[in-house]
Amino acid sequence: MNRTTTPPPASPATGEPVRRRWGLWAEADFRRLWIGETTSSLGTAVGHVSLSLVAVVVLKADPATMGVLTALTWLPWLLIGLPAGAWVDRWPRRRVMLVSDLALLVLFASVPVAAWLGVLTIGQLLVVAVLVGVAKVFLSTAYAALIPTLVAKPDLLEANAKLRGGETAGEIAGPGVAGFIAQVFGAVGGLLVDSFSYLVSALCLGAIKPREKPPAAAARDGIRREISEGIRFVVRDPYLRTLACFGALGNLALNGIQAVQTVFLVRDVHLDGGAVGLVFAAVSTGGLAGVWAAGRIVRRFGTARGLLLSYLVVAPGIVLLPFAGSGLPLPVSVLGWALGVGGVVTANVISSSFSQSYCPPEMLGRVRASSSTVNYGAIPVGALLGGYLGEALGTRGTIWIMAGVLVTANLVLLVSPIRALRDFPQRAEAPRTDA
């Protein structure tokens, strides 16, 4: 392959070339985004474990209730995901993230306050779950669309790897922190940490100055037409369509497992709150390895082939999970679980970078929301199904079934056009405007 020499890419934030020695760490706005997102990821990891422990240990929730709780957090993707994408393309993305962070701060703080007043109920947790889901629809969509306004196109893989690395570090530390807090201060104390993390994220976002220009009001089409453009773009594109369908099946399976995993570890494997936190922390180390491997896999195999290989290691790793405490030592099952998480994280870094560079910038919010509505919309279905099966068949049997769904999902990739590619194309064709 012929190689040409090109100058270092210019940063959209400063107009100056990115210094190769330090990469994106030389960019002040990127550092602020990384600090804010890493902090909120730590808080989210603490809050996720803490919320599950509050439901299971404090409020004695059964598997079906845990499935409903998980489902309600993701249900807003089905209800408002598509219009949220169109709105994000109209509004300043940083402002959307700021408002979402502040809303999440208040929502998570409400749970420990209610617990200390003696009025906390499962009903409140369910309401909080729905409202948290609404805020995260806007936050996630705006976040994906904001990154290309802060870094140059050639730096997107590096940016996503660094951001995902920070998130994974938070996910590794978070469960251990949650377990410690649960042991010392009670499960509800971890939700205060989550709440505070969104304050830090909001302060960091407030200091960022992205170069984004939402369309003028006169240039906008009707909201329904804009939503339709985003849907058509995904449906007609063979790569985005494949990734969305695979993501839906994968999320259905993984969240069916997630709905019962805390109950499984507490009641079947007989772990206490602190040990559950340590297991989740150990599993998250696989994600850190996945971040480290992403760039190396892309250089060795290419973007499309690297993504395919990364996804294909997920199911074999997850299949070891239901053996925990019955047939295999817990550390072996945790190692397989971590391998699966590593594959997911590597593939997510690659796919995020691909979509951000491939899609037209003015449509990125709608394309992101259209894809996410499909694959995130499967999450509440998986969570409800996992909760139902957990009640009917037990948690171990549920995990077996969902691991089988993951294996089946691989067929979507193996029969798709991605199978024949080494690298994804750099830019999609201009979207068609016909209905």
Side-chain angles (χ1 to χ4, degrees):
M1 181 182 295
N2 294 329
R3 300 184 66 172
T4 58
T5 302
T6 57
S11 163
T14 65
E16 298 296 327
V18 175
R19 291 182 290 169
R20 292 294 91 191
R21 180 178 179 184
W22 299 106
L24 289 173
W25 297 129
E27 294 293 308
D29 279 346
F30 179 80
R31 291 197 305 271
R32 294 182 185 110
L33 180 66
W34 185 88
I35 291 170
E37 292 306 306
T38 299
T39 303
S40 66
S41 295
L42 172 62
T44 297
V46 172
H48 173 72
V49 176
S50 298
L51 192 65
S52 296
L53 290 174
V54 168
V56 173
V57 177
V58 178
L59 298 175
K60 310 301 181 185
D62 55 29
T65 302
M66 292 302 296
V68 172
L69 184 64
T70 302
L72 289 178
T73 304
W74 295 96
L75 182 63
W77 277 105
L78 288 174
L79 302 179
I80 63 167
L82 294 174
W87 288 324
V88 165
D89 278 340
R90 293 181 172 205
W91 300 335
R93 280 88 183 248
R94 185 189 66 149
R95 188 178 302 166
V96 172
M97 292 180 67
L98 275 169
V99 172
S100 300
D101 275 341
L102 295 175
L104 290 165
L105 184 159
V106 172
L107 288 168
F108 281 112
S110 72
V111 176
V113 169
W116 293 331
L117 293 175
V119 295
L120 180 64
T121 64
I122 283 289
Q124 179 178 340
L125 289 189
L126 298 178
V127 171
V128 167
V130 172
L131 296 178
V132 164
V134 171
K136 289 197 171 183
V137 167
F138 287 96
L139 181 64
S140 176
T141 304
Y143 175 53
L146 180 73
I147 295 172
T149 71
L150 293 177
V151 304
K153 182 178 177 180
D155 292 319
L156 284 172
L157 183 65
E158 179 189 352
N160 283 297
K162 283 182 164 62
L163 288 165
R164 187 62 182 132
E167 292 170 11
T168 303
E171 290 166 1
I172 293 170
V177 172
F180 173 78
I181 292 173
Q183 293 285 356
V184 178
F185 302 104
V188 295
L191 297 176
L192 278 183
V193 174
D194 196 4
S195 180
F196 177 75
S197 73
Y198 287 108
L199 175 61
V200 175
S201 177
L203 292 174
C204 291
L205 281 170
I208 289 175
K209 297 178 181 178
R211 300 177 71 183
E212 52 175 338
K213 295 180 180 179
R220 298 172 180 167
D221 292 324
I223 193 76
R224 291 184 180 178
R225 182 178 179 84
E226 291 182 351
I227 291 172
S228 297
E229 286 176 351
I231 295 172
R232 287 200 303 272
F233 191 89
V234 173
V235 169
R236 292 173 177 174
D237 187 275
Y239 313 118
L240 296 175
R241 182 177 66 242
T242 296
L243 293 177
C245 292
F246 173 81
L249 282 175
N251 279 331
L252 185 147
L254 290 172
N255 284 273
I257 293 171
Q258 182 175 316
V260 300
Q261 65 187 15
T262 301
V263 180
F264 172 68
L265 293 173
V266 171
R267 297 181 184 169
D268 288 64
V269 189
H270 309 296
L271 303 182
D272 59 23
V276 169
L278 290 176
V279 166
F280 289 151
V283 169
S284 296
T285 60
L288 197 59
V291 169
W292 174 84
R296 292 163 176 81
I297 288 174
V298 165
R299 288 191 293 271
R300 175 68 177 83
F301 299 104
T303 53
R305 197 170 297 164
L307 180 140
L308 188 64
L309 291 172
S310 300
Y311 273 139
L312 290 179
V313 306
V314 176
I318 297 298
V319 163
L320 295 180
L321 175 59
F323 285 109
S326 176
L328 282 178
L330 178 61
V332 176
S333 295
V334 169
L335 181 62
W337 194 357
L339 176 66
V341 169
V344 170
V345 169
T346 299
N348 284 346
V349 170
I350 297 171
S351 63
S352 295
S353 305
F354 160 62
S355 62
Q356 288 163 352
S357 62
Y358 181 73
C359 301
E362 69 277 7
M363 293 187 66
L364 193 51
R366 283 169 284 168
V367 171
R368 163 77 177 184
S370 297
S371 297
S372 296
T373 297
V374 175
N375 53 46
Y376 290 169
I379 291 177
V381 178
L384 289 172
L385 183 59
Y388 171 77
L389 291 174
E391 284 285 322
L393 304 176
T395 56
R396 197 182 302 273
T398 298
I399 295 173
W400 270 118
I401 292 171
M402 293 303 173
V405 174
L406 271 179
V407 174
T408 304
N410 289 335
L411 297 176
V412 174
L413 295 175
L414 293 175
V415 301
S416 76
I418 296 175
R419 180 174 57 88
L421 298 178
R422 183 187 189 278
D423 290 289
F424 286 111
Q426 292 295 309
R427 176 64 73 185
E429 295 181 4
R432 295 169 57 184
T433 57
D434 57 309

